[in-house]
Structures are given as structure tokens and as C-alpha cells.
């Protein structure tokens, strides 16, 4: 069996992986970009709608256009790319990562000083939202429906309901409607939508598609193929309310019920995971708790903007190259969130000796909040603050912390709203 | 008072428009684009239409396309039916015009991917890891 050595192996050639590989190569490391498909671009290839790249390029691009710009950069940089190549197994010895790669020529053992995980995320499936019973055709995730319509050119349903109000579900409500299918409604068990408000406006309201909040699909009828669904209102504990059931005839159930970071390779390499984000515990440069394993993009935590995915890829790639050149992380400060207000914040740790003067922290709120002042405190001193007009769980927010403002004896960074910081100052 | 959600950027500002005064009083926007959006939305709403077009190539059955600019919201359906009649039979590149003036809107429909890439994939450029650098 062939054995090869590289400095950095980037796994996944979506927006995170392409940005990471470009930054790693620019940092002087021998880098290889590994992709299991025959195309670069990841999920962006099937995201034909626009809205990508406003922060990055100041333009509203479609997914393929955004990906295309990075594909051209990868080609121009002459970056070694291994497509149709699958990581079948991964483990570590004392100093490096060992990946068993399978491609059309066979199996190769790749030794990499650093692995950058850019493996993206997966959609939660019907089984994961407790839809049990028979498996009639016609139940599929929004991403699968998107692949059928946009890549294969098939219309997988003529009359459907959408369960869950995630962004891909909203985008597919519009897409299926435009292609001639009838979308009866979007059903969301929670009392607030999961997708961005602009997608509710431009994907549902534009086409008169109803959004039913606090209502879910309780049963799917049909043996070989979906024939109907039963929907029902749910109470605050998400239990169906008896007497509110309604039967709708349809041939499709499209699921948009959440995304989960994909970390099979990371787990094989022994990377500790955060149970809330379902991604690796990391610092602001994407370095995990296993030296020589970095993460970026949706494998780290699910983002709602590709622009932020690219940003995280660039940081991880540059830091991975610095690691190869001999840089080791410094003192790590844990980032603590007020979990009554915020769902999570990433990174989980800030490397105080990072070469970048600022650390970028992303966070989501637990519930919808009005105008809110979010503050970061260290040893009771405020080191960053930003006023947000509103905070909503579907909208990830971004905050920059100037590392030079953090007191040398700080033991943690505490993120909360004004009252929390005030309480700390007093104590 | 009209309530709108701005769709210009991911912020998705909730806009309140008071049409009883002249000029309209618009609040809730974080940037000037929100004012422009509200004015247009309540007089002549427009959208970019993104879709896919049929191709004559078996290895890439659909080509992603979009309108180069925005078209009136009321024209979206006729834009879609014109796109659905299209068959792309040459290896167009991102930005190439496929329809000059779609549904009489004066706006072009353009490709948003390189068809050659979709057809051949990346393996033609890449190498097997065994083949050496």
C-alpha cells in the first residue's frame, strides 16, 4: 500500500474546506484538499437561490456562483485536490494523523501533521424527529428534495407539506411552488420560526404559503407512497392537543427540522465534542483539544451564512499552517455564556496568545429578544459590547473581542446581557 | 401603517411604513437600503428569480440560472415558464446570457455555473493520490 506525507489534509471541499486549504497553502504548508464527490463546492452546488456573499463580496450571489469563485481560486493556486476520494478510516499516532484514503486507484495511507475538518453538517432525518411507522416513499429532507429538483431535474412531489421551518425548508417551499408543485403549508412545532425572517417573507408570503406555528405532523398515511398526513396543534410541551387533528391529502412530506455537524472523522481522531453545538470544542482559530486537528465551517457548529463559514475556514487554514511551522497555542480562557439567555457561543475557548489581535465569537440567543446589549466581561471588566436591535435563535450573531483588553489574570470570558455583567462588577 | 420584512440582507429588518404622510415615514431599518426597499416594495415590488434550466447533456441535466437583475414580482410566473422552455445545448459559463429579455421585463437570464464543470467534474483536473505529484 502506498504511503504519502503532507503537512495539512483538509477534509471536504465545500466553502469551509476551500477557504481553509487556500489559507493553509498561502501560509506555506504542503496542503492537500480531499473531497469525496467529483465536484468542488459542497452543498452550495445545489443551492441555486441567491443571497450568498453579501458580506464577503458585497453582492447577492447564487450558491453555485459563490462556490465557483473559490473553485477558480483553488485552481489558480494550483492546490492539490483529490476528488472522488473518501476517508475510510482515521487515527493518530504520537505525532501525526493517519488517514486511510480510498479512491478509484485503491487505498492510500496519508500521514498528515494537521487535519482540518471541513466536513459540513447533515440534515436531521424523519427517524430523529420520532416519525415512526412504515416507510412510504415521498418523505424526504429538504436537502434531498433540493437535490432532486436542482441537480437531477425531477419534481419529487406534486402536493406536499413541509415539516419544520428551517431555511432550506422555506427555500424549497418557494422552489417547489415555482416548479409547479402545491405546497399546502409549513408546520412548525415551536412557537417561533426556525428560519430567517427574510425567507419567511420572500419564500412563503410572496406565494401565499401558510406558516402554521405550534403545529406539527403527527401521522403519515400511506403504505407504498405518502397519501396523506395528519397535523395537530401542540401545547407548550410539544404534546399534540387532542381534537385539533386535521387530515391533509398529499404525496410528499419535506423535512426541515435541523442540521447536525458531521464529525465522524473528528470522533475517530478522538476530538472532544460540545454537546450543545454537536461540534468539536475549539478555540477562535478552530483548533480542537487534540493538537493538530482543526475544524471550520458547519462541522464546528451550524452557521446560517456562508460568509461566516468562509471566514472560519480562512482562520483555521492559517492557524493550521502556523501549527506546522511550530506555533503552539498559549493560555486558553474558557468562554462562559449565560445559558438562560444564550443558546451557545463558539469558540468554547479563547487562545490568549493567538497572533490575531481579535477573537471572533459567534452566538445564538435561546429565545427571541428585543433590543439587547450583549457584553463580554473578564474579571468583571467589560472587554467587548455590542447592541443588537433584536436577537433571534435562527440568526447567529458575531462579536469581536480585542485580546489586549483582557486582564492578564482573567480566568474566563463571560458573555451575557447587561444585567449579568453589572452583577459581576458589583461582586 | 404597513409592516414589511426587508429582504435585502440577512438582517431581515422589520420595517414600519407610515403612508399617511408625504414623504412616507419609514422606521425599523438598520441601513438606507431598507428605505429604498420599502418604497419599492409598496409601489413596484421586484425579485431576482433563481432556477435551473434543462440541458442537452446527460451528465448534467440541469444548469443553475438566475435573472441578472430583479424583475417585477408579478412577472415571476411568466419568467419561470420562459426558463422552463429553455434547453441549454452548449457549454456556457457563469454569467453567460441565456435569454436576452425574459418575459418582456428587459432583464436577462444568465448561467450561474460553468456547464463544462458540471458535466466533467473535477476528476479530470485532479490526480489520484497514488499517481504522484
Amino acid at each position: 500500500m502506498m504511503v504519502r506525507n503532507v503537512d495539512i489534509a483538509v477534509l471536504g471541499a465545500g466553502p469551509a474546506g476551500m477557504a481553509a486549504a487556500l489559507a493553509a497553502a498561502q501560509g506555506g504548508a504542503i496542503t492537500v484538499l480531499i473531497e469525496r464527490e467529483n465536484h468542488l463546492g459542497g452543498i452550495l452546488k445545489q443551492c441555486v437561490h441567491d443571497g450568498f456573499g453579501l458580506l464577503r463580496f458585497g453582492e447577492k450571489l447564487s450558491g453555485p456562483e459563490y462556490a465557483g469563485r473559490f473553485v477558480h481560486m483553488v485552481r489558480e493556486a494550483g492546490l492539490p485536490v483529490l476528488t472522488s476520494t473518501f476517508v475510510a478510516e482515521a487515527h493518530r499516532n504520537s505525532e501525526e494523523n493517519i488517514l486511510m484514503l480510498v479512491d478509484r486507484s485503491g487505498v492510500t495511507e496519508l500521514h498528515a501533521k494537521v487535519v482540518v475538518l471541513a466536513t459540513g453538517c447533515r440534515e436531521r432525518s424523519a427517524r430523529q424527529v420520532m416519525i415512526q411507522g412504515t416507510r412510504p416513499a415521498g418523505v424526504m429532507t429538504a436537502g434531498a428534495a433540493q437535490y432532486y429538483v436542482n441537480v437531477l431535474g425531477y419534481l419529487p412531489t406534486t402536493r406536499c407539506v413541509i415539516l419544520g421551518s428551517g431555511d432550506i425548508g422555506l427555500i424549497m417551499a418557494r422552489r417547489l411552488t415555482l416548479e409547479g408543485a402545491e405546497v399546502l403549508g409549513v408546520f412548525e412545532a415551536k412557537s417561533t420560526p426556525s428560519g430567517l425572517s427574510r425567507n419567511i417573507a420572500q419564500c412563503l408570503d410572496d406565494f401565499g404559503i401558510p406558516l402554521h406555528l405550534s403545529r406539527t405532523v403527527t401521522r403519515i398515511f400511506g403504505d407504498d407512497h405518502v397519501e396523506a398526513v395528519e397535523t395537530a396543534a401542540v401545547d407548550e410541551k410539544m404534546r399534540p392537543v387532542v381534537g385539533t387533528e386535521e387530515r391533509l391529502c398529499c404525496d410528499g412530506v419535506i423535512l426541515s427540522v435541523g442540521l447536525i455537524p458531521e464529525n465522524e472523522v473528528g470522533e475517530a481522531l478522538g476530538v472532544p465534542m460540545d454537546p450543545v453545538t454537536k461540534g468539536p470544542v475549539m478555540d477562535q482559530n478552530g483548533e480542537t483539544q487534540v493538537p493538530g486537528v482543526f475544524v471550520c465551517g458547519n462541522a464546528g457548529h451550524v452557521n446560517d451564512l456562508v460568509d461566516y463559514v468562509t471566514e472560519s475556514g480562512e482562520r483555521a487554514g492559517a492557524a493550521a499552517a502556523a501549527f506546522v511551522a511550530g506555533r503552539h497555542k498559549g493560555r486558553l480562557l474558557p468562554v462562559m455564556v449565560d445559558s438562560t439567555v444564550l443558546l451557545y457561543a463558539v469558540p468554547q475557548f479563547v487562545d490568549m496568545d493567538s497572533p490575531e489581535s481579535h477573537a471572533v465569537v459567534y452566538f445564538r440567543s435561546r429565545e427571541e429578544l428585543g433590543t439587547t446589549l450583549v457584553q463580554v466581561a473578564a474579571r468583571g471588566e467589560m472587554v467587548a459590547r455590542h447592541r443588537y436591535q433584536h436577537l433571534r435563535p435562527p440568526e447567529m450573531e458575531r462579536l469581536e473581542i480585542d485580546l489586549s483588553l483582557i486582564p492578564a489574570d482573567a480566568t474566563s470570558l463571560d458573555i451575557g446581557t447587561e444585567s449579568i455583567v453589572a452583577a459581576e462588577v458589583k461582586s | 401603517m404597513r409592516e414589511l420584512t426587508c429582504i435585502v440582507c440577512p438582517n431581515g429588518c422589520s420595517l414600519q411604513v407610515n403612508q399617511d404622510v408625504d414623504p412616507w415615514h419609514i422606521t425599523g431599518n438598520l441601513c438606507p437600503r431598507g428605505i429604498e426597499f420599502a418604497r419599492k416594495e409598496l409601489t413596484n415590488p421586484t425579485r431576482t428569480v433563481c432556477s435551473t434550466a434543462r440541458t442537452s447533456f446527460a451528465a448534467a441535466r440541469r444548469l443553475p440560472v438566475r435573472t441578472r437583475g430583479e424583475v417585477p414580482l408579478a412577472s415571476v410566473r411568466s419568467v419561470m415558464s420562459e426558463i422552463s422552455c429553455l434547453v441549454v445545448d452548449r457549454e456556457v459559463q457563469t454569467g453567460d446570457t441565456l435569454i436576452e429579455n425574459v418575459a418582456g421585463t428587459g432583464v436577462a437570464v444568465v448561467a450561474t455555473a460553468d456547464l463544462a464543470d458540471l458535466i466533467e467534474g473535477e476528476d479530470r483536473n485532479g490526480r489520484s493520490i497514488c499517481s504522484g505529484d
Side-chain angles (χ1 to χ4, degrees), chain A residues 284-300:
Chain A
Q284 75 269 37
N285 299 312
E287 186 163 7
T288 68
Q289 291 177 299
V290 175
V293 182
F294 289 71
V295 63
C296 56
N298 285 346

Side-chain angles (χ1 to χ4, degrees), chain B residues 26-76:
Chain B
I26 300 163
T27 54
N29 56 303
L30 283 174
C31 80
R33 288 178 300 178
I35 304 219
E36 194 194 323
F37 170 80
R39 287 215 185 95
K40 224 167 78 181
E41 190 67 7
L42 295 174
T43 50
N44 172 33
T46 57
R47 297 289 184 268
T48 302
V49 178
C50 296
S51 188
T52 60
R54 189 180 307 165
T55 80
S56 59
F57 300 92
R61 300 160 63 109
R62 307 299 292 191
L63 172 74
V65 303
R66 69 172 166 94
T67 53
R68 199 191 296 277
E70 298 191 333
V71 299
L73 183 56
S75 307
V76 168

Side-chain angles (χ1 to χ4, degrees), chain A residues 44 103 268 313 316 322 410 414:
Chain A
L44 288 175
D103 71 3
D414 306 302

